[in-house]
Amino acid sequence: METGGLPLELWRMILAYLHLPDLGRCSLVCRAWYELVLSLDSTRWRQLCLGCTECRHPNWPNQPDVEPESWREAFKQHYLASKTWTKNALDLESSVCFSLFRRRRERRTLSVGPGREFDSLGSALAMASLYDRIVLFPGVYEEQGEIILKVPVEIVGHGKLGEVALLASIDQHCSTTRLCNLVFMPAWFSPFMFKTTSGHVQFDNCNFENGHIQVHGPGTCQVKFCTFKNTHVFLHNVPLCVLENCEFVGSENNSVTVEGHPSADKNWAYKYLLGLIKSSPSVLPTEDSDFLMSLDLESRDQAWSPRTCDIVIEGSQSPTSPVSSSPKPGSKASSQEAEVGSDGERLAQTPDSSDGGLSPSGEDEDEEQLTYRLSYQVQGPRPVLGGSFLGPPLPGASIQLPSCLVLNSLQQELQKDKEAMALASSVQGCLIRKCLFRDGKGGVFVCSYGRAKMEGNIFRNLTYAVRCIHNSKIVMLRNDIHRCKASGIFLRLEGGGLIAGNNIYHNAEAGVDIRKKSNPLVLCNQIHHGLRSGIVVLGNGKGIIRNNQIFSNKEAGIYILYHGNPVVSGNHIFKGRAAGIAVNENGKGLITENVIRENQWGGVDIRRGGVPVLRSNLICFGYSDGVVVGDEGKGLIEGNTIYANKGCGVWMMSSSLPHVTSNHVSYNGLYGVAVFSQKEGSRELPGGHGAQENFSEDGDAILWEPELEKDDDPLRQPVTIALVESNSINHNGASGLYIQSSEALHVITNVIHANGDRGITVAQSSQLTRVANNSISCNRQSGVKVEAQCKVELRGNGIYDNRGHGIITKGDSTVIKNRIHSFRAYGIAVRGRTKALVQENIFFQGKTNKTIFQQISNNRECIMQNNKFLVFKKKSDTWRLMNPPARPHLENSLRGPSAAHGGQKVTAMATRITARVEGGYHSNRSIFCTIL
């Protein structure tokens, strides 16, 4: 296309010499000329924007090397913003009464400087009229008294920024004023460089050094492209103030303080500022800009050492899934011969990953020694968090989370949560965006019901970035917070608000610190590489922590203590150098549907009175245990998938009182569930476990105790016995359940299947351990082994197809109403001088050359009565156990009441725990969680 016969390139060269008014006139000629003017974005519009003395690069100070999407749009936004202070004049002129008597006059320009019309700012102000422009020529202007602005004026420095310095204390009494291109310093008699109580002030492209700026509501301010060096901006009860594209350097205290609830009285500028904010580009995320938040960040940090395992989800039609089909008769066993242990147990040399590999049958069986399989199907809790991990980890493959576990983007989360969306879109009090806070003590301090919104800022090398206290509310969107000497964001004394989409990293203390009844929504942030914990919640702190990526922190990803009680859901917590989540010192919390993986210590660590609800989480690929319940730990551990951790699935201390129910515990390197005595099994873990976090802000941690909330709920009843109930414990490297405890324990209705050692090992049990209604099958050694001097009751269990004996007992055992079957060994073997009662059991014979019962010594204290022995007589004999009563029916009664047999109630509860769990101390001992 050509305009007027000339090529477009030539027209662009000609128009590049025009000034702004002329460009505007050209754009009004016709559509072709309008599009031609718009096409000058990277040439003439860029020159106009960068050549303006009243503004700087549109992306200064955070990204001065990044060009804006449109130079024309950036220039337009600045031009409109620079005219806000004059909107009051338009309101006055629109008045009907005023328009009848007004006399039109042009704005005057008053020059101040050597050889100019005025030699001082004070003398020029004395002669100024409404909306006059006062130009200060290069020089240093020091006013000996306070300057009072009584009429709206514009004060502008001539030349480059830094050539005009003003040492003055200005008190604004007029409705509006604008100051531009000036260097402010405090006068000798006052630290305040500028203050206003009711009017509107606008600062553009100014420097402030070593002083204070004060704005009281209903006054408002608009600050853009300014630098504050050791300068404190104090905003008190302001209805709306905007700080945009500013730099705050070297503050000895807070850079910005927002105090008091926004004033209900609003001056004339409020509506114009609000309109300007809504018309300017927002930092709220879009689907494209938020793409990285939805990705796993493994590829973004080469220092990480990824585990080489695949994750297989139930329902993905994996042909190697071991529970996808029941074991078949005649399946191949290990090619290596099994060895016989000291107690007559079968010891496998090469474990197989499938149930078939753990099957006692094999092709090398002699035809005369015919074996019979029992037809049954292993059941367990329903899949949680996208499915149960059923297949074994595959060496050499990388971890790939399924799509159902990928985090939502911030925009998706806000669309789901209308309250959060309204909060993110609201503007009240102070708006700070695209600013840089660096190399000082504090960034933004919001107190005493203050309101502040921070968007797209950078906070670095500060003592702290943001503090929110005393019922104040903050909205933080898309900020970058790093290298703070203390916590990045600190909330206390009922502070709250929305913290969303921020990048928080390399801070010396917690990335986010929530305490003293503060209750924020922490959403879709990246909190990583902290020198302590990612998020700390303590001192009755609350909050909703959702959909965050918390990784590579030196201590616990989330640390809850001193009655902290947050809701932690949908987060990815991974690659931490300590625990994923640590709950200590009476901490509480609802922890649900998180992915906790690849942490150096326990995925979740509960100690010293911690009483969380841990529900429906995926805890996998940890370098230690999945869940650790240490000394006096409590809480409900329900419906979690605990998979492929190098240590135990669940590690419990006998002095702890958790309720472990309906979990999938599989393919862990050691025991599925291990219970150790306090003395022999105690182990303090560093970094968020045994180590005490530094809470120096408010003194010693003991100071929190007088402020703690009391639990007066009459429904809460103490439980004094730990409970392991309705879990699926399978394919773990050692015993499914290992007990070395000095306190009572109940093991009820679990599926303990295909583990690499025994199903249940009771090595120490000075108090009674009740094992009732469990299905114990296909384990590589015996189903149950009870060592000497242990007190165990085995009631109503189904013990099938284990490679060793069904039951080995050396201790005081009661074996009642069980179904017991073993292919290669005895149904029950009694060793030594054992007190044993074997009553009303059903025994199924294995091989023809093995008896069902073996007793090593002539022990009269071993009583057998009313047992039923089934011995096959011919090859056609078959035993099919269809839904045997001894096997738990978990799919239909997953959340049903706990089992009770023989009139003895297994635990003091009316119904199963299905709600939140909290608790406290009692007689210096752990009390289990509340039962509803």
Side-chain angles (χ1 to χ4, degrees):
M1 181 191 73
E2 295 185 354
T3 304
L6 294 178
L8 287 178
E9 291 75 10
L10 186 56
W11 277 113
R12 291 191 180 103
M13 292 180 62
I14 295 173
L15 295 179
Y17 290 94
L18 298 183
H19 296 287
L20 181 62
D22 297 325
L23 281 176
R25 296 185 186 99
C26 291
S27 67
L28 298 176
V29 173
C30 62
R31 170 65 64 179
W33 281 63
Y34 175 75
E35 293 178 353
L36 180 62
V37 171
L38 292 184
S39 69
L40 303 175
D41 188 82
S42 60
T43 56
R44 185 55 180 159
W45 289 111
R46 184 178 186 274
Q47 292 173 359
L48 289 173
C49 189
L50 295 179
C52 179
T53 59
E54 298 182 359
C55 68
R56 307 186 191 185
H57 191 285
N59 290 326
W60 182 89
N62 293 337
Q63 295 177 307
D65 298 330
V66 178
E67 292 196 357
E69 293 183 3
S70 170
W71 285 98
R72 175 184 171 276
E73 184 64 27
F75 185 73
K76 173 186 173 183
Q77 290 296 329
H78 173 72
Y79 179 82
L80 295 176
S82 67
K83 302 301 180 184
T84 303
W85 78 283
T86 62
K87 299 293 185 181
N88 188 36
L90 299 178
D91 290 345
L92 291 176
E93 291 180 2
S94 64
S95 170
V96 176
C97 180
F98 185 81
S99 65
L100 294 176
F101 301 100
R102 73 178 185 269
R103 179 181 299 173
R104 279 198 169 274
R105 56 177 295 276
E106 295 295 331
R107 290 178 56 195
R108 294 187 302 164
T109 299
L110 308 180
S111 300
V112 179
R116 303 293 173 176
E117 185 178 358
F118 301 95
D119 58 359
S120 68
L121 176 61
S123 59
L125 287 171
M127 299 301 296
S129 299
L130 293 173
Y131 301 101
D132 282 347
R133 180 183 178 95
I134 300 175
V135 179
L136 301 180
F137 282 81
V140 178
Y141 299 87
E142 183 174 4
E143 300 294 332
Q144 298 301 317
E146 186 177 53
I147 294 178
I148 298 178
L149 298 180
K150 297 181 179 180
V151 295
V153 293
E154 182 181 26
I155 304 174
V156 180
H158 186 273
K160 295 181 179 180
L161 179 62
E163 293 181 353
V164 180
L166 180 61
L167 284 71
S169 178
I170 302 175
D171 189 357
Q172 177 185 350
H173 289 182
C174 57
S175 60
T176 181
T177 192
R178 179 174 184 252
L179 301 104
C180 177
N181 206 38
L182 300 169
V183 176
F184 284 88
M185 298 180 185
W188 61 271
F189 54 86
S190 173
F192 287 95
M193 296 178 287
F194 191 95
K195 56 185 177 181
T196 184
T197 56
S198 60
H200 172 72
V201 59
Q202 182 170 335
F203 296 103
D204 289 318
N205 198 34
C206 293
N207 285 357
F208 299 87
E209 299 181 6
N210 304 313
H212 303 288
I213 296 174
Q214 182 173 286
V215 180
H216 279 257
T220 57
C221 71
Q222 181 182 355
V223 185
K224 195 165 185 179
F225 297 117
C226 293
T227 299
F228 297 83
K229 296 180 180 179
N230 191 27
T231 298
H232 180 207
V233 179
F234 182 81
L235 308 174
H236 181 77
N237 293 115
V238 292
L240 187 58
C241 284
V242 180
L243 281 69
E244 205 169 9
N245 293 95
C246 294
E247 182 180 23
F248 296 83
V249 185
S251 63
E252 295 180 355
N253 205 326
N254 314 303
S255 295
V256 179
T257 296
V258 183
E259 181 180 21
H261 194 277
S263 172
D265 297 329
K266 300 176 177 62
N267 65 13
W268 66 268
Y270 177 83
K271 63 179 181 179
Y272 293 105
L273 286 177
L274 200 59
L276 184 67
I277 292 170
K278 292 181 179 179
S279 65
S280 60
S282 173
V283 300
L284 279 177
T286 62
E287 291 299 328
D288 293 335
S289 64
D290 215 324
F291 179 69
L292 286 178
M293 269 298 293
S294 65
L295 295 179
D296 198 331
L297 296 184
E298 290 177 349
S299 60
R300 298 180 60 184
D301 193 337
Q302 299 300 325
W304 302 341
S305 54
R307 293 286 302 277
T308 55
C309 299
D310 255 353
I311 292 178
V312 181
I313 304 295
E314 185 175 24
S316 60
Q317 303 298 326
S318 172
T320 60
S321 182
V323 193
S324 60
S325 61
S326 57
K328 298 180 179 180
S331 61
K332 281 192 176 183
S334 173
S335 60
Q336 299 187 7
E337 293 294 331
E339 297 181 359
V340 180
S342 59
D343 293 313
E345 298 185 60
R346 293 281 175 171
L347 305 177
Q349 293 180 349
T350 306
D352 297 320
S353 60
S354 65
D355 291 357
L358 294 177
S359 169
S361 62
E363 293 182 354
D364 58 347
E365 295 282 346
D366 188 86
E367 285 295 330
E368 299 300 325
Q369 297 177 346
L370 186 64
T371 59
Y372 287 85
R373 297 300 305 271
L374 302 182
S375 177
Y376 62 92
Q377 207 172 22
V378 177
Q379 300 178 13
R382 292 178 180 177
V384 293
L385 197 61
S388 173
F389 294 100
L390 299 177
L394 301 178
S398 61
I399 298 174
Q400 295 182 350
L401 292 177
S403 59
C404 61
L405 298 181
V406 173
L407 291 175
N408 290 331
S409 67
L410 177 55
Q411 186 66 26
Q412 290 170 333
E413 285 293 316
L414 292 178
Q415 288 174 353
K416 292 194 306 182
D417 191 336
K418 300 304 180 184
E419 184 177 350
M421 175 64 84
L423 192 59
S425 303
S426 65
V427 179
Q428 192 178 21
C430 179
L431 171 62
I432 304 172
R433 62 182 177 185
K434 301 180 183 178
C435 294
L436 171 62
F437 296 81
R438 63 179 178 88
D439 304 322
K441 181 178 180 181
V444 180
F445 179 48
V446 187
C447 62
S448 302
Y449 296 89
R451 300 291 187 270
K453 183 175 183 179
M454 287 153 272
E455 296 181 348
N457 305 287
I458 294 178
F459 300 84
R460 71 166 185 251
N461 296 326
L462 303 168
T463 300
Y464 63 87
V466 178
R467 295 179 69 202
C468 177
I469 68 172
H470 292 298
N471 299 95
S472 298
K473 298 291 183 291
I474 58 174
V475 176
M476 298 193 65
L477 298 173
R478 294 287 181 175
N479 300 281
D480 194 281
I481 301 170
H482 61 101
R483 302 193 185 281
C484 293
K485 298 176 184 176
S487 297
I489 303 173
F490 184 82
L491 300 101
R492 58 175 289 191
L493 297 173
E494 302 187 54
L498 173 66
I499 302 170
N502 303 282
N503 190 15
I504 305 171
Y505 59 100
H506 284 301
N507 297 291
E509 296 289 340
V512 180
D513 190 315
I514 305 168
R515 56 177 88 182
K516 288 190 176 180
K517 300 183 181 179
S518 294
N519 190 19
L521 171 58
V522 183
L523 180 67
C524 294
N525 301 280
Q526 297 177 17
I527 305 173
H528 57 100
H529 292 93
L531 301 183
R532 300 297 292 268
S533 299
I535 298 177
V536 169
V537 186
L538 70 154
N540 288 317
K542 300 177 183 177
I544 298 174
I545 303 170
R546 189 173 79 227
N547 210 69
N548 301 279
Q549 292 194 24
I550 305 171
F551 59 96
S552 298
N553 295 287
K554 189 173 182 180
E555 296 186 1
I558 299 177
Y559 197 7
I560 306 170
L561 67 165
Y562 297 116
H563 289 244
N565 192 17
V567 176
V568 182
S569 64
N571 303 281
H572 283 201
I573 306 170
F574 58 99
K575 292 185 180 295
R577 294 171 62 184
I581 299 176
V583 186
N584 271 335
E585 307 295 348
N586 301 301
K588 304 176 185 177
L590 173 61
I591 303 169
T592 177
E593 296 184 355
N594 302 279
V595 176
I596 306 170
R597 59 184 176 89
E598 298 177 272
N599 295 286
Q600 290 291 333
W601 299 104
V604 178
D605 189 281
I606 307 168
R607 297 175 187 267
R608 293 192 286 273
V611 56
V613 175
L614 185 66
R615 178 179 290 141
S616 301
N617 301 278
L618 168 59
I619 305 170
C620 61
F621 299 109
Y623 295 95
S624 184
D625 306 315
V627 177
V628 175
V629 187
D631 186 26
E632 297 182 348
K634 296 170 276 188
L636 172 65
I637 302 170
E638 179 183 34
N640 304 282
T641 298
I642 305 171
Y643 172 81
N645 298 283
K646 284 191 173 181
C648 304
V650 180
W651 186 92
M652 298 163 49
M653 202 176 272
S654 63
S655 60
S656 63
L657 294 172
H659 184 177
V660 182
T661 178
S662 304
N663 301 283
H664 288 266
V665 185
S666 60
Y667 291 101
N668 298 284
L670 299 178
Y671 308 110
V673 178
V675 184
F676 288 94
S677 64
Q678 183 172 358
K679 293 181 179 180
E680 298 181 18
S682 178
R683 50 179 174 179
E684 285 294 329
L685 303 179
H689 297 261
Q692 178 64 51
E693 186 94 24
N694 180 15
F695 303 112
S696 58
E697 166 85 21
D698 294 281
D700 294 334
I702 194 65
L703 296 179
W704 293 105
E705 296 299 334
E707 302 180 11
L708 299 181
E709 293 176 342
K710 302 297 181 182
D711 286 335
D712 297 325
D713 191 343
L715 295 177
R716 293 174 181 167
Q717 303 175 9
V719 175
T720 57
I721 298 177
L723 178 62
V724 179
E725 178 186 29
S726 300
N727 303 282
S728 176
I729 306 171
N730 62 85
H731 294 91
N732 298 286
S735 296
L737 174 61
Y738 184 89
I739 302 169
Q740 186 178 338
S741 173
S742 58
E743 297 185 13
L745 174 69
H746 287 170
V747 182
I748 310 296
T749 62
N750 301 280
V751 173
I752 303 173
H753 177 73
N755 295 284
D757 200 85
R758 306 174 190 92
I760 298 177
T761 300
V762 184
Q764 176 186 334
S765 179
S766 56
Q767 297 192 36
L768 182 62
T769 295
R770 285 194 172 95
V771 181
N773 284 13
N774 302 279
S775 174
I776 306 169
S777 61
C778 292
N779 296 285
R780 192 161 291 280
Q781 296 187 20
S782 59
V784 179
K785 182 178 181 181
V786 181
E787 295 289 356
Q789 300 179 349
C790 293
K791 298 179 180 179
V792 178
E793 176 185 309
L794 297 168
R795 181 185 293 269
N797 302 284
I799 304 173
Y800 314 122
D801 287 1
N802 300 285
R803 284 200 172 186
H805 303 304
I807 299 174
I808 299 174
T809 177
K810 299 180 182 179
D812 298 342
S813 303
T814 301
V815 184
I816 299 177
K817 295 183 178 179
N818 301 280
R819 292 190 172 206
I820 305 170
H821 172 268
S822 178
F823 273 100
R824 299 173 180 268
Y826 298 97
I828 181 169
V830 180
R831 302 282 191 261
R833 306 294 298 179
T834 301
K835 288 184 179 181
L837 173 61
V838 182
Q839 181 178 355
E840 299 182 16
N841 301 281
I842 300 177
F843 292 90
F844 298 89
Q845 185 181 21
K847 291 185 177 182
T848 55
N849 64 346
K850 292 284 187 179
T851 60
I852 293 175
F853 174 79
Q854 181 189 45
Q855 182 173 346
I856 300 299
S857 61
N858 186 14
N859 186 359
R860 296 183 178 180
E861 295 184 359
C862 179
I863 301 173
M864 295 191 63
Q865 57 186 16
N866 299 329
N867 298 286
K868 184 177 181 180
F869 298 90
L870 298 182
V871 180
F872 69 85
K873 298 180 180 178
K874 54 185 178 180
K875 294 184 179 181
S876 60
D877 285 344
T878 277
W879 299 319
R880 299 185 63 83
L881 301 183
M882 300 304 297
N883 296 321
R887 181 159 53 85
H889 298 262
L890 297 179
E891 291 188 350
N892 296 325
S893 61
L894 180 61
R895 301 185 183 277
S898 300
H901 293 272
Q904 298 179 355
K905 209 165 187 180
V906 174
T907 182
M909 59 168 61
T911 59
R912 284 280 309 282
I913 296 178
T914 57
R916 60 193 176 94
V917 179
E918 299 174 356
Y921 282 113
H922 178 69
S923 302
N924 297 323
R925 294 186 58 187
S926 304
I927 304 300
F928 185 56
C929 51
T930 301
I931 308 300
L932 300 181

